Amino acid sequence: WPMFREVEEYFLKDIILLHIFGSTGNSAIFVTQDDEVYAVGENIAGYLGIGDIERADSPIRLDLLCGKHVLGFASGTTHSLAYTREGELYSWGDNNLGKLGNGTIICRDSPGRVLLPEGVKVIQAACADRYTAAITSEFKVLHWGDIEWSNGTSQTLPSHLEFPENVQISSLCCGAFHAVALSSHGQVYTWGCGDMGQLGHRRISDVERVPRLVEGQLTGLLIKEIACTMLASVALTLDGRVYAWGHNQDGMLGLDMDIETIPSPQQVKIEDREIKSIAAANMGCIITAITETSIYKWGMTEKTSGTFYAEVDKVSWDIPHTDKVNNNFPRSVQVNNILNAFANSPTPRSNRITLEKIRNNQKEEKNLSEADDGIVLRDIGNALYNNKEYSDLTLRLSDGVIYVHKLILCSFCEHFKRMLDGPWAENGKKEIDLTRYNPQAYRAFVKYIYTGKLDKTLNGSQLIELCDIAESYFENDLKMVVITKFPSCLTEENVAELYCAADSQPCEDIKELCCNFVSTRLEEVILTDGFDNLKGDLCKSLVKRAVQIKKNFPKLRKIVKVLFE
């Protein structure tokens, strides 16, 4: 990227979060290990946030964002956002139709707070051209700016966007003129302008203001990731298949279809069967799909020259590949990380590099037994978990005890803080009786508090118990982690049993995941012992919901008729 040519090398080595944006990828904002935020490059309408609208040839510090622990950035064509660990949201740049969310239509050339509703915290945000949206900690969606999608109506303050069903939204992205959301049940919703088929509702539409479920080839599938290019949408299923729809000029969606507009999801044929992740930049045209060892890349490589990857092109992590530029001039590109697959273009949304990744990088460069400037990274959470030596509280489970520390419980779990700072602090007891909980699930809950990681050894039943614990303790982040993990535990043999277990809690999100799974393999599930053991009402509700999901398949309706009529 040209804007980094004049940047000192020590800056580049210190970056833990990088956001490259603009139609040609000539602007960047980044966060360093010291939690300082800098911007460099082109500065259209002040969307660098540096206090003016001039180009920055060297990094300029964004003082207001320093020390805020920014989790991510988002940008449209002329405005930018930053969302923090504390749930705060900042915006800057052009404010046409109120897309900065500060109650005015006055532009800003430096970050300012988005005026969120009282008590609301944000966990993710996305920008379109004149539209902005965010996911709250309650997994609802706020939106503002051009909420009518180009009829000139401005919404200068965030307001809640109503979905047709009471769904929880786990991921959100925007193209230039449309938005895509992923529910906790693995379903995709779209809204906005659909003139290029980017909404995926089987027909070309001017504007749809209410989010609507994307069906067609996605019906009954569990989606794990979504992404947007400027005029298209992409989805990745739990079993590793990629689907795309929208603007397909010169075959840029990788579908091998000579049609400029694709109005419903179509599978992208990729030789690797299990794609692990997808990525795209909302103001770019490149799409990537990532496996354990390779990147597949397609779409337009340079907006100005009109160069395309019309077919899916395999890019190895370590081996250079040859790109065809203007179909005549091959070039070799060394791709050693996902960002470099987007070289000279805007990059997809990325996460902060964790301490674990920093530690792994340091191990490659030197032996960690030697202190680096006196600093050694330590895994404090795992070191203190169930450590009796310095414990000041015991949690009694049905299979034994967990030795814990009030300081850690109160620092990372609001429920424990209210309990241990309240009545419990007055009675002087040193042990809490928690024998009513599943011991494996509760141990996983406590370990999550200490380490921020989910125990990967839990089975489906234990995940259901853990989901119930997370909900009762108001740990929404953990609940979403469990819901994301749960589908990988489902099989035709155990889904009926797990549906029954989820009903007994009750865990409605888990039940819906079971129904989604059954909707694609109902005949096989009906023949299992687990299905035979379901009680009548549960059996009926499972099949009825599965058929509702798969409503376009008359064969399944015949099965229901035989079973229940």
Side-chain angles (χ1 to χ4, degrees), residues 7 38 86 95 118 120 199 201 209 212 244 247 259 305 336 346 356 360 376 415 427 459 471 484 490 543 550 553:
V7 177
Y38 294 86
E86 299 303 317
N95 198 17
E118 185 176 357
V120 170
L199 300 186
H201 296 156
R209 298 176 180 85
R212 185 148 69 96
H247 188 43
I259 304 173
S305 67
N336 56 13
E356 181 180 3
N360 289 339
V376 178
H415 179 88
N427 63 32
N459 59 34
E471 187 160 9
T484 302
L490 290 172
V543 175
K550 203 72 171 179
F553 285 73

Side-chain angles (χ1 to χ4, degrees), residues 410-431:
C410 293
S411 297
F412 296 101
C413 179
E414 191 65 30
H415 179 88
F416 272 120
K417 181 179 180 181
R418 288 196 299 267
M419 182 176 70
L420 297 176
D421 286 348
W424 189 266
E426 300 173 3
N427 63 32
K429 292 183 179 180
K430 298 295 185 181
E431 183 174 290

Side-chain angles (χ1 to χ4, degrees), residues 269-444:
K269 303 299 182 183
I270 302 176
E271 64 184 51
D272 277 275
R273 294 185 178 180
E274 289 195 20
I275 301 299
K276 301 297 182 184
S277 185
I278 56 174
N282 68 322
M283 292 299 158
C285 298
I286 295 174
I287 305 169
T288 60
I290 300 99
T291 70
E292 293 287 355
T293 58
S294 302
I295 303 176
Y296 291 82
K297 171 181 175 182
W298 64 100
M300 184 158 52
T301 62
E302 295 177 20
K303 189 176 189 305
T304 55
S305 67
T307 303
F308 290 89
Y309 289 110
E311 298 179 356
V312 178
D313 183 22
K314 182 176 180 180
V315 185
S316 297
W317 281 102
D318 301 313
I319 303 172
H321 78 294
T322 300
D323 294 341
K324 292 184 178 180
V325 180
N326 295 329
N327 298 319
N328 293 315
F329 304 100
R331 61 173 178 164
S332 180
V333 177
Q334 181 73 35
V335 178
N336 56 13
N337 61 56
I338 184 61
L339 287 180
N340 283 343
F342 290 83
N344 293 311
S345 301
T347 58
R349 180 168 53 208
S350 60
N351 298 320
R352 289 172 71 105
I353 299 175
T354 63
L355 288 179
E356 181 180 3
K357 289 184 179 179
I358 294 172
R359 185 188 302 117
N360 289 339
N361 290 339
Q362 289 178 337
K363 283 182 179 179
E364 292 175 2
E365 295 176 1
K366 61 179 291 184
N367 190 329
L368 270 183
S369 62
E370 301 175 14
D372 184 5
D373 296 328
I375 299 174
V376 178
L377 298 171
R378 296 187 174 92
D379 192 348
I380 297 174
N382 275 312
L384 292 180
Y385 170 72
N386 204 21
N387 187 325
K388 184 178 180 180
E389 186 174 1
Y390 299 107
S391 169
D392 54 3
L393 183 66
T394 302
L395 306 181
R396 172 66 60 181
L397 304 176
S398 60
D399 67 347
V401 299
I402 310 176
Y403 298 104
V404 295
H405 311 79
K406 293 179 183 178
L407 176 62
I408 292 179
L409 295 184
C410 293
S411 297
F412 296 101
C413 179
E414 191 65 30
H415 179 88
F416 272 120
K417 181 179 180 181
R418 288 196 299 267
M419 182 176 70
L420 297 176
D421 286 348
W424 189 266
E426 300 173 3
N427 63 32
K429 292 183 179 180
K430 298 295 185 181
E431 183 174 290
I432 302 177
D433 183 2
L434 298 165
T435 53
R436 64 186 182 279
Y437 292 106
N438 176 287
Q440 291 83 9
Y442 205 90
R443 289 181 187 277

